[in-house]
Amino acid sequence: MEFRLLGPVEILWRGRNIMPTAPKPRQVISLLILRHDTVVQAPELIDELWPELPPPSAVTTLQTYIYKFRKLLLKQGLGNLLQTQPGGYVLSIPEDTLDVSLFEREAERGQELLLRNESAAALESFERALALWRGPALADVETGGRLFSYVTRLEELRFRILELRIEADLEAGRHRELISELKALVLAHPLHEHLHGLLMVALHRSGRRHEALEVYRILRQKMIDELGLEPGGDLARLQYTLLSDPPAEPPGPRGPQPAPVAPALAPAGERTPAPAPAPAHSPTLLPPAAVFPAPPLSPPDSIGTPAQLPAGLAGFVGRQAVLKELEAALREPDDPEAHGTAARIGVISGPPAIGKSAVAVHLAHLLRTRFTDGQLYADLRGSSTEPRDPAEVLRGFLRALEVPASRIPESLEECGALFRSRTSGRRILVLLDDVESSARIRHLLPADPRCALLVTSRRRMAALVEAEHVELHAPPREEALEILAALAGRHRVERQPEAALRIVELLGRHPLALRCVGGRLAAGPGLSLAVLADRLGATPRILDVARLGELDVRSRFEASYHGLTGAEQEVFRLLSEVDESPFTASRAAELLCRPAQDLETILEELADHHLLATDRRGDGIGRYVFDRLARAYARERREDALAARPLVQQAAVR
């Protein structure tokens, strides 16, 4: 038997394809094959089959699909392959019968061979791996959130192996044969710098240097016009080398490496450093020294230029006022005398999953050109049960700044001192995501006033008194509609504006919830916005809909909830019975039958965690407001707590 997913999905038994033709059984079987030899929970399969709200008969329908698949296997005498386990199902298949496993094995073997500089053997492995593909992965299967993530991973790996195979071909001297293939790939991926670099190398080695330089010129202009960016350093160095060197064909893959070219404007009398030894081929880098000539060595004590920022969020919408305020706070003053003595700090706080990280990363990319000595990034996981050790983060920053491992101290204080020394006199932006408290980042502050620190946190971080503080809340209605339109399709939102507005308001204009629902709509182009709005309005647990794959609003609230004390958790649950209008501590005390003074302390703590919003008006009276989804989560926790109590206690509470 063969299981084939790299193309149209097939189950071959004695040369005959026995894969069912109905769409939803094909989804179930594909997910079971991809997750073979592990338990696939029934809720995962249901979520895959019905990305929007599942029908009431979802469990029964799934069981029917499993029954028919088992019957199909039994007919071939293979009924033991599919087993029912508590809560789910396991499909047991040998690794060598699945084309995905064979592809990953050959890809891994090829990369290991490259690391050992065995290019010819690596090339054979890559060719065997790519030959297993018969088209796009799961080409004839409808994909929900989980299958889509698997397809994306496989296609990314396929593309990477294709790049490595081309690099191995270049090292084997097959540059002339590669030109037509690379030109086709560049047309299909017009902004892919690595592919353009490989094409430039192939053209240069074929004696067509003018064409190689034209490839760079066209790419550079396209990147400036469409992205506002210059090509990366590797490609710029390659262009510089082509401008400086005569076009010459290398003697072969094992021949001498091209010597680095000294900068044209080097000061008179300055010695040119000796060329670096050719590094071993690494599959995780852009082409090696044999493909992209190495730049001149830096002085021994020079610091590199780290660029660690995560990729920005596609379709980022709105938040212009927040971005403008923080940009002004973090921008270096025009007056050289106005630097001050400390790095500039911006803090973005707000409720769970309100978009703090997205805003911070977007802003950091906007500011990147101002911080010419690099950008450092770390996720401190402050809202998780296992926050990162600041010393570990510091050691990572020091390595990024090219401090040798032997010179990195053990203690947090010494690491912090060395970090301040390394950032002194430089323009560096540091982005710290999901910070638990200001005490955790005391040693992570850069020293120079030309540096900047951007922090996101679910707490208010009031101790950072010198920082510019911005609290994020739900975006305005227009921005929320833009988020939905960017994912679900503008034409659908414009065709059903009332339904779109209902969805936005039912989800409390919560950005992550809108992205989840927008993703569901994008995955189901036939799903009506009006039907989805009706389902959202009728569902008793709206957070069941506010999730898509790894995106899950409920899990973000859970992380904040578990950071509360027992008394704070109890008050949070009970407050779910309060309506959506602002309430005072006195009003809450009446409803919960508790002393107002004690309750006010707890309410302030909940507000500090951004599980409640504050509404302070001109009368000086503190009021609190429940975000719609925070209230929905609090109600869930209250129902769960009631269900866990004996019936007598439940009756007393009600």
Side-chain angles (χ1 to χ4, degrees), residues 274-480:
H281 196 304
S282 169
T284 62
L285 301 176
L286 224 60
V291 180
F292 280 6
L297 282 178
S298 301
D301 293 328
S302 71
I303 296 180
T305 306
Q308 297 183 342
L309 295 179
L313 185 65
F316 183 89
V317 171
R319 303 293 193 187
Q320 294 306 311
V322 169
L323 291 169
K324 186 176 181 180
E325 181 179 351
L326 286 169
E327 192 270 342
L330 297 180
R331 185 177 59 233
E332 184 178 357
D334 295 329
D335 181 4
E337 302 299 323
H339 283 308
T341 58
R344 301 175 302 284
I345 304 175
V347 176
I348 305 173
S349 62
I354 203 67
K356 301 180 291 295
S357 299
V359 170
V361 171
H362 187 74
L363 175 64
H365 279 286
L366 294 177
L367 294 172
R368 186 173 57 181
T369 55
R370 299 179 182 270
F371 296 94
T372 53
D373 293 308
Q375 309 88 42
L376 299 170
Y377 168 83
D379 179 1
L380 271 69
R381 301 196 292 266
S383 58
S384 71
T385 56
E386 296 181 355
R388 289 186 67 185
D389 181 2
E392 174 199 347
V393 175
L394 267 176
R395 284 191 279 270
F397 283 174
L398 292 171
R399 286 192 294 270
L401 294 171
E402 296 188 353
V403 177
S406 59
R407 294 179 55 189
I408 297 178
E410 288 295 324
S411 74
L412 175 60
E413 289 75 13
E414 290 176 320
C415 281
L418 182 55
F419 178 64
R420 290 189 293 274
S421 297
R422 281 284 169 162
T423 55
S424 178
R426 301 184 181 275
R427 291 181 173 88
I428 290 179
L429 174 65
V430 180
L431 172 53
L432 301 178
D433 199 11
D434 194 11
V435 174
E436 181 183 13
S437 68
S438 56
R440 302 281 292 179
I441 61 171
R442 183 164 57 92
H443 295 288
L444 292 166
L445 272 64
D448 198 279
R450 287 168 293 186
C451 295
L453 173 67
L454 186 57
V455 174
T456 73
S457 177
R458 298 188 186 184
R459 306 290 296 271
R460 287 174 170 168
M461 305 288 287
L464 291 175
V465 294
E466 69 275 34
E468 181 72 23
H469 291 264
V470 171
E471 287 194 17
L472 287 190
H473 302 287
R477 180 183 298 174
E478 294 74 18
E479 286 187 15

Side-chain angles (χ1 to χ4, degrees), residues 147-332:
L147 282 181
F148 181 77
S149 66
Y150 280 106
V151 169
T152 302
R153 186 186 71 82
L154 286 170
E155 292 290 350
E156 287 287 343
L157 181 57
R158 175 193 191 184
F159 196 83
R160 181 63 188 134
I161 296 307
L162 175 62
E163 290 178 296
L164 292 175
R165 194 227 80 208
I166 292 172
E167 290 180 22
D169 270 333
L170 280 173
E171 291 194 9
R174 299 185 65 249
H175 36 275
R176 297 182 189 278
E177 294 87 340
L178 286 171
I179 290 175
S180 58
E181 179 184 6
L182 282 168
K183 283 188 173 181
L185 287 170
V186 162
L187 286 173
H189 305 275
L191 295 173
H192 198 291
E193 294 184 51
H194 193 179
L195 288 177
H196 283 77
L198 293 171
L199 176 57
M200 290 169 67
V201 170
L203 288 168
H204 174 59
R205 290 185 174 183
S206 302
R208 297 157 67 174
R209 182 172 59 153
H210 65 288
E211 291 183 51
L213 292 170
E214 180 66 8
V215 168
Y216 180 86
R217 187 194 65 78
I218 293 172
L219 172 65
R220 179 177 181 271
Q221 191 60 51
K222 188 177 286 291
M223 289 184 68
I224 292 172
D225 292 344
E226 298 186 18
L227 305 177
L229 298 174
E230 290 278 353
D234 288 299
L235 210 58
R237 284 192 293 270
L238 175 60
Q239 187 237 13
Y240 177 79
T241 303
L242 296 187
L243 287 169
S244 305
D245 283 352
E249 191 163 328
R254 296 298 173 186
Q257 303 300 320
V261 180
L265 301 178
E270 183 173 324
R271 295 181 61 189
T272 302
H281 196 304
S282 169
T284 62
L285 301 176
L286 224 60
V291 180
F292 280 6
L297 282 178
S298 301
D301 293 328
S302 71
I303 296 180
T305 306
Q308 297 183 342
L309 295 179
L313 185 65
F316 183 89
V317 171
R319 303 293 193 187
Q320 294 306 311
V322 169
L323 291 169
K324 186 176 181 180
E325 181 179 351
L326 286 169
E327 192 270 342
L330 297 180
R331 185 177 59 233
E332 184 178 357

